[in-house]
Amino acid sequence: MRRDITRRDLIKLAAASAAVLATGKATVSRALAGTVDFAEGGQDFSPKTGTERKKIASACWTCVTRDAMVGYVEDGRLVKLEGQPNSIRGLGKICAKGAAGINQLYDPDRILHPMKRVGKRGEGKWKRISWDAALNELTGRLKKLRDAGRPEKFMFQFGRMKASQDKIVQAFLGGYGTKTIANHTSICEGGKWTAQELTWGGHYDNWDFDHTKYVLNFGSACLENHTNHIPVATRLMAAIADRKVKMVTFDVRVSHTAAKSTEWVPVKPGTDQAVILAMCQVIMKAGLIDRKFFKFMKVTADPDASTDAKVAALKKHLAKYTPQWAAKISGVPAAKIKSIALEFAKTKPACLVSYRGAIAHYNGNETERACQMLAGITGNIDNPGGRCKAVGAGWTYPKGPKKPKGRGLDLADGFPGQTAYPTHHVSHQVLKLIKDGRNGRPEIYMWYCYNPVYANGEVQENIDILKDESLLPYTVCSDAYYGESTALADLILPNPSYLEWWGWEDMVSPAQIAEFYIRQPFVKPLGESRDFNNVVIELAKRLGFSLGYNSTEEFLKKSCEMTPGVKEAGGFEYMKKHGVWHDPKAKPAYYTYKKEISKAAVKADGVILDKATQVYWNWKKVNVKSEAEARKTGYTKTKGAFKGYVGQKIGNKVYQVFKPDAVNKSGYFELYSELLKIKGFPPLPTFMAIPEHQRMGSDDLILTTYKVPVMTHSRTANCKWLSEIYHDNPAKINTETAKKLGIKDGARIKIKSAVGEFTTTANVIEAIVPGVVAVSHHRGHWEYGRYASGKKTPFASGIDDPDLKLMWWKNHGVHPNWAIPNSPDPINGMMRWFDTVVQVTRA
């Protein structure tokens, strides 16, 4: 936002750039025009004094990617953030959101002191209290519940809480005794993970762009805001620019990713599955399959079926899914479907990418399973250049005391019978279930790094529930910023920004080699803000139990001294200095499913063979009463049997194959799912039409949302650098659709659904599918501070920020979630973000 760059400065910059270009030095990548050689990061100097700034290694937290990074401190103030040059994940890069993290540290609207509500809930009246008073009040309420034998009446819900944060907070919750815990994953990526758990066991995939020769993308904005953004985007752009790898993207609009692709293929919302099934049909019919991988796939009910039998069964199942059939549903020409399918199958290796654009629908679970099928039949699974199982750091850490037997209210998994396998919960319906009351209600509802009012659909209902003290007697929030939900708390515990924390990180590595890295503070927490991890450590002490460490820093130190490899490298002191570590002798993890299980493991005490699945499993590890009961009930129907999984018998050998970690699937790569059959769904990936889309009127449109490269969910609109770039989000409508509705570019329009409405401006363009209206997420805040909403918080911190005078924009956009229902995928429970039917009229 600075306005003091002069023409002379620009001339100097141009001259310096020309000098660099004139060197003619070679460069590893040609992603930039010409051959440019830059010095690696790792040093920075004051432009005024020339003095070298203090470098501190840490990690970002602006999004789930959590890139390793370094920051520079001058005169006790953080002045710059950049990528960690020694990171094999991020390759020395961070995104605009990471660089703008400084804005969150010095946000003039930050919460710096514990605050207690004094007016009506949501009225905005507060009084400042001491930490001792705040913790005494909360401890007293928590102790009362536990002493009464009702620890489950304390509910905790979180948004971003990964790695060491999760371990510490979960140790506290377990020690207290509550299992009434919910996350946010169903509004994010939970549906994709459940579908993967049903096919290859572990959730989370990685895409090996370093070695691929072809990329086929369904609904992923992986060049702008993917779940592992910078590590993925950097490699993908290098593949496209350096090796001329072809990338084909199916999407409803021209995203930044689609624009950088070799080809954008417009597809109607929620119909990606039809295209994918048709591609599978084309490939099977042409015989362009990897028969060797079929050995490790389950395609029929018979676990011992031959490859020929599997191929025949799949051909029969897919026969009806022709390109002509898919074309009528998706709008993608049959010839295009066929040509891309053949190209994908013939190019080895190839990588199949999928994400929310294809998955956040009524049929999302089956769309992801179809993606797994397409990758599986072509042999592009867990191979160099294909779709791989995720590899992340496995830290060893202090586990804390033995937990008492916990109790929980059933509030996290949606309404009974509505969802088959909510392995990552149905978090967007928590408030609905509290309102319903049949599963009980918490007396204390606490949330952390989560904005339930803004982040979920049906915003008005969320507000009404949180305001109602008869439904939620006491609400507590730990936050650094005064968001829409924070405004409805009874007690606010001021959390620092992530730039003031300690912790370790474990995000997956596209290099297929685990990277261990830590977060350390650049400055001391401002005001009286306290790291929430330290808060729960203190709460545990006040409640009469210890977690085994006195601070987050101590937890991190112990973890560094306990973790093999990190310990030998120099432990805590090494990690503080360098920030990252990986085993230099480690080799990328590929083909892990081919690992054979030893005879000793198969013959261990408690291990039996389940004849129906040919799975070896240990019934004793699952706490079954007897071997006889285990054999009678069987592996598939024994609760939690996957925890005792040993290996999969295939022929005369036992393999690790695709180990389950959430449901009782076999060890096979399961295209045929007995678990789905048990719940009344087709066992093989089968097309599911979206009910609301089948009932649409002639003037109805489908509302979709999306994310932009410079924003993260609900938590970056307070970053001044980012909001200056992106502060308005008009509704994108196709030219043909707009003409039919009598809407011109720039016109004010009303978008209305069955649950709500909002008013915005039309952006009439060609680069979106007809019949769709698209409004991005991130904007439309009515709290969250001046840069997000134009509204000062009730207790603005008074942090000196002269840039407030330079904020020139007045429009802060609209929030589409007012009109989006909190509806789940019937199999996995994920929020159906892109299925909403709306009417669009001139306002």
Side-chain angles (χ1 to χ4, degrees):
M1 293 183 62
R2 292 187 58 179
R3 304 295 191 201
D4 54 356
I5 297 176
T6 66
R7 182 172 179 272
R8 183 182 297 272
D9 293 328
L10 292 173
I11 293 172
K12 285 180 179 179
L13 179 61
S17 300
V20 171
L21 290 170
T23 64
K25 292 181 180 179
T27 182
V28 175
S29 174
R30 295 182 61 86
L32 294 172
T35 54
V36 182
D37 186 26
F38 293 104
E40 289 190 356
Q43 280 186 297
D44 202 69
F45 301 86
S46 168
K48 293 182 179 179
T49 66
T51 305
E52 184 172 357
R53 292 164 165 168
K54 181 182 179 181
K55 181 181 76 173
I56 297 174
S58 193
C60 191
W61 199 74
T62 308
C63 77
V64 69
T65 307
R66 294 167 282 143
D67 289 308
M69 66 181 183
V70 296
Y72 300 96
V73 175
E74 181 180 355
D75 296 329
R77 185 178 178 88
L78 179 64
V79 293
K80 183 181 181 182
L81 295 169
E82 65 182 22
Q84 165 63 265
N86 299 317
S87 170
I88 60 170
R89 285 184 64 245
L91 303 175
K93 315 265 190 322
I94 57 172
C95 68
K97 295 170 286 189
I102 295 174
N103 297 168
Q104 296 196 317
L105 172 58
Y106 298 117
D107 181 351
D109 288 295
R110 263 187 66 171
I111 306 168
L112 295 180
H113 308 280
M115 306 299 293
K116 182 176 180 178
R117 173 174 68 90
V118 292
K120 293 180 180 179
R121 191 179 287 173
E123 194 175 12
K125 294 182 179 179
W126 305 88
K127 73 173 181 178
R128 176 176 163 181
I129 61 175
S130 69
W131 266 106
D132 197 48
L135 294 180
N136 280 342
E137 179 173 316
L138 181 55
T139 302
R141 290 175 177 269
L142 289 171
K143 189 175 185 302
K144 182 179 178 182
L145 288 180
R146 195 173 62 160
D147 289 349
R150 302 304 304 273
E152 74 278 9
K153 287 284 189 174
F154 168 42
M155 181 171 194
F156 181 81
Q157 188 163 15
F158 60 92
R160 179 77 62 247
M161 194 174 79
K162 297 283 188 178
S164 60
Q165 281 185 306
D166 181 69
K167 306 306 179 189
I168 294 173
V169 176
Q170 295 290 359
F172 163 70
L173 296 171
Y176 177 79
T178 183
K179 289 187 175 181
T180 311
I181 304 168
N183 56 18
H184 79 294
T185 314
S186 66
I187 65 171
C188 188
E189 54 198 1
K192 179 178 170 68
W193 304 151
T194 300
Q196 292 185 347
E197 287 160 352
L198 287 164
T199 50
W200 67 1
H203 69 277
Y204 229 111
D205 53 348
N206 185 35
W207 309 320
D208 188 7
F209 296 139
D210 289 340
H211 301 101
T212 198
K213 294 181 179 178
Y214 191 98
V215 178
L216 179 57
N217 174 23
F218 289 96
S220 174
C222 48
L223 285 177
E224 49 210 282
N225 46 38
H226 175 59
T227 186
N228 201 16
H229 178 211
I230 284 299
V232 162
T234 303
R235 287 168 166 85
L236 179 53
M237 280 310 302
I240 293 171
D242 296 349
R243 297 189 289 110
K244 310 303 178 187
V245 168
K246 183 173 183 178
M247 179 176 179
V248 178
T249 293
F250 285 77
D251 207 328
V252 299
R253 65 183 181 89
V254 179
S255 63
H256 293 272
T257 302
K260 294 293 183 182
S261 299
T262 313
E263 183 176 5
W264 166 54
V265 183
V267 61
K268 293 179 181 178
T271 66
D272 301 74
Q273 186 196 11
V275 174
I276 298 163
L277 289 170
M279 287 184 172
C280 290
Q281 191 265 3
V282 169
I283 292 167
M284 292 297 298
K285 186 177 179 180
L288 296 173
I289 60 174
D290 186 330
R291 290 180 66 89
K292 290 181 180 178
F293 190 72
F294 268 74
K295 170 183 176 180
F296 301 99
M297 289 199 298
K298 185 176 182 181
V299 181
T300 72
D302 180 6
D304 293 322
S306 67
T307 295
D308 286 342
K310 294 176 183 180
V311 170
L314 210 49
K315 280 185 175 181
K316 181 179 179 181
H317 173 71
L318 293 168
K320 62 184 176 182
Y321 297 130
T322 65
Q324 292 74 22
W325 164 84
K328 293 177 181 178
I329 294 172
S330 67
V332 181
K336 177 64 65 178
I337 294 172
K338 183 176 180 180
S339 65
I340 293 174
L342 294 174
E343 192 174 44
F344 176 77
K346 291 176 182 178
T347 309
K348 300 290 185 178
C351 191
L352 179 63
V353 178
S354 59
Y355 208 56
R356 286 164 53 99
I359 310 304
H361 295 278
Y362 174 84
N363 57 15
N365 193 89
E366 293 307 272
T367 299
E368 179 63 15
R369 286 215 304 144
C371 286
Q372 292 283 69
M373 179 194 294
L374 181 53
I377 64 176
T378 55
N380 289 300
I381 292 289
D382 214 25
N383 61 310
R387 172 180 273 212
C388 299
K389 298 293 290 291
V391 174
W395 287 86
T396 305
Y397 57 91
K399 297 296 194 295
K402 186 177 180 181
K403 300 174 184 177
K405 186 175 181 180
R407 299 178 58 172
L409 301 176
D410 188 9
L411 297 173
D413 291 336
F415 289 92
Q418 189 179 27
T419 305
Y421 292 105
T423 58
H424 294 271
H425 303 305
V426 190
S427 305
H428 55 284
Q429 290 196 332
V430 163
L431 293 178
K432 277 184 175 292
L433 277 142
I434 290 173
K435 179 182 179 180
D436 179 78
R438 282 175 289 180
N439 289 359
R441 295 186 179 119
E443 292 187 20
I444 301 173
Y445 176 55
M446 183 178 192
W447 64 92
Y448 167 71
C449 189
Y450 183 49
N451 193 343
V453 163
Y454 180 98
N456 300 308
E458 298 185 53
V459 172
Q460 188 58 55
E461 182 181 55
N462 300 335
I463 293 171
D464 295 341
I465 294 169
L466 267 183
K467 273 187 175 182
D468 193 335
E469 294 182 49
S470 69
L471 300 178
L472 288 167
Y474 190 67
T475 60
V476 187
C477 174
S478 173
D479 207 334
Y481 314 102
Y482 192 75
E484 288 74 17
S485 302
T486 317
L488 300 178
D490 296 326
L491 180 67
I492 303 174
L493 305 178
N495 200 45
S497 74
Y498 66 92
L499 301 166
E500 301 153 276
W501 295 342
W502 290 97
W504 52 253
E505 292 295 348
D506 58 359
M507 188 55 174
V508 301
S509 172
Q512 289 299 101
I513 294 173
E515 179 172 88
F516 295 77
Y517 61 113
I518 70 166
R519 171 176 294 104
Q520 57 184 323
F522 294 102
V523 296
K524 292 181 179 179
L526 301 187
E528 294 181 5
S529 58
R530 289 188 189 180
D531 176 7
F532 183 62
N533 280 209
N534 285 330
V535 171
V536 300
I537 292 170
E538 174 65 20
L539 282 173
K541 290 179 183 177
R542 288 175 177 244
L543 288 164
F545 63 97
S546 172
L547 300 186
Y549 33 84
N550 296 309
S551 67
T552 311
E553 183 179 359
E554 184 183 341
F555 175 89
L556 173 58
K557 183 176 182 179
K558 287 185 175 182
S559 298
C560 289
E561 303 305 331
M562 294 169 67
T563 301
V566 174
K567 176 182 178 180
E568 288 73 20
F572 185 51
E573 293 303 318
Y574 176 92
M575 294 303 288
K576 281 201 298 181
K577 181 178 179 180
H578 298 280
V580 296
W581 178 85
H582 73 274
D583 183 355
K585 297 179 181 178
K587 296 190 185 233
Y590 298 116
Y591 302 115
T592 55
Y593 60 88
K594 293 184 179 181
K595 179 182 176 182
E596 292 185 29
I597 303 300
S598 69
K599 291 181 179 180
V602 171
K603 293 181 179 180
D605 183 38
V607 176
I608 57 176
L609 176 66
D610 180 70
K611 292 183 179 180
T613 60
Q614 294 293 285
V615 167
Y616 280 99
W617 64 296
N618 193 319
W619 60 272
K620 288 188 175 182
K621 285 189 177 180
V622 190
N623 298 319
V624 181
K625 291 181 180 179
S626 67
E627 180 177 337
E629 182 180 327
R631 290 186 181 279
K632 180 180 179 182
T633 306
Y635 169 80
T636 302
K637 295 184 178 180
T638 297
K639 185 178 180 180
F642 68 91
K643 296 175 183 177
Y645 176 88
V646 175
Q648 178 71 48
K649 185 175 181 292
I650 303 177
N652 296 321
K653 294 182 179 180
V654 181
Y655 295 89
Q656 174 179 294
V657 211
F658 297 93
K659 183 179 179 180
D661 80 345
V663 293
N664 294 343
K665 67 171 285 294
S666 70
Y668 280 109
F669 186 90
E670 285 201 354
L671 298 183
Y672 183 97
S673 174
E674 186 67 30
L675 294 172
L676 286 175
K677 183 180 179 182
I678 289 171
K679 294 287 186 175
F681 293 93
L684 285 170
T686 301
F687 182 70
M688 294 171 65
I690 297 168
E692 296 92 331
H693 294 184
Q694 305 304 301
R695 301 190 296 265
M696 287 177 63
S698 59
D699 290 334
D700 289 344
L701 303 184
I702 299 171
L703 171 64
T704 71
T705 71
Y706 58 96
K707 299 175 186 176
V708 299
V710 295
M711 285 285 161
T712 301
H713 304 300
S714 62
R715 296 197 311 276
T716 49
N718 66 323
C719 292
K720 58 188 177 185
W721 297 344
L722 302 180
S723 276
E724 183 171 29
I725 296 170
Y726 191 80
H727 45 263
D728 193 14
N729 56 341
K732 298 182 183 298
I733 307 177
N734 180 269
T735 306
E736 175 187 319
T737 303
K739 183 178 180 181
K740 179 182 176 183
L741 296 174
I743 294 170
K744 295 183 179 180
D745 186 53
R748 295 292 291 172
I749 58 174
K750 182 170 71 174
I751 300 176
K752 183 177 182 180
S753 74
V755 299
E757 63 183 55
F758 60 94
T759 302
T760 185
T761 304
N763 178 204
V764 180
I765 59 173
E766 289 291 327
I768 190 170
V769 173
V772 172
V773 57
V775 181
S776 80
H777 193 52
H778 319 295
R779 304 309 315 181
H781 283 274
W782 56 100
E783 299 287 359
Y784 216 60
R786 282 162 279 190
Y787 290 120
S789 65
K791 182 178 176 182
K792 184 178 180 180
T793 59
F795 33 81
S797 65
I799 293 174
D800 181 32
D801 186 5
D803 280 348
L804 277 170
K805 298 177 182 178
L806 300 175
M807 190 175 75
W808 53 268
W809 63 96
K810 302 296 181 183
N811 189 353
H812 299 281
V814 296
H815 190 39
N817 292 18
W818 293 94
I820 300 176
N822 282 317
S823 301
D825 178 310
I827 295 176
N828 57 51
M830 183 170 177
M831 176 82 169
R832 296 165 52 195
W833 285 113
F834 312 127
D835 289 348
T836 307
V837 175
V838 296
Q839 295 78 46
V840 178
T841 57
R842 285 175 291 180

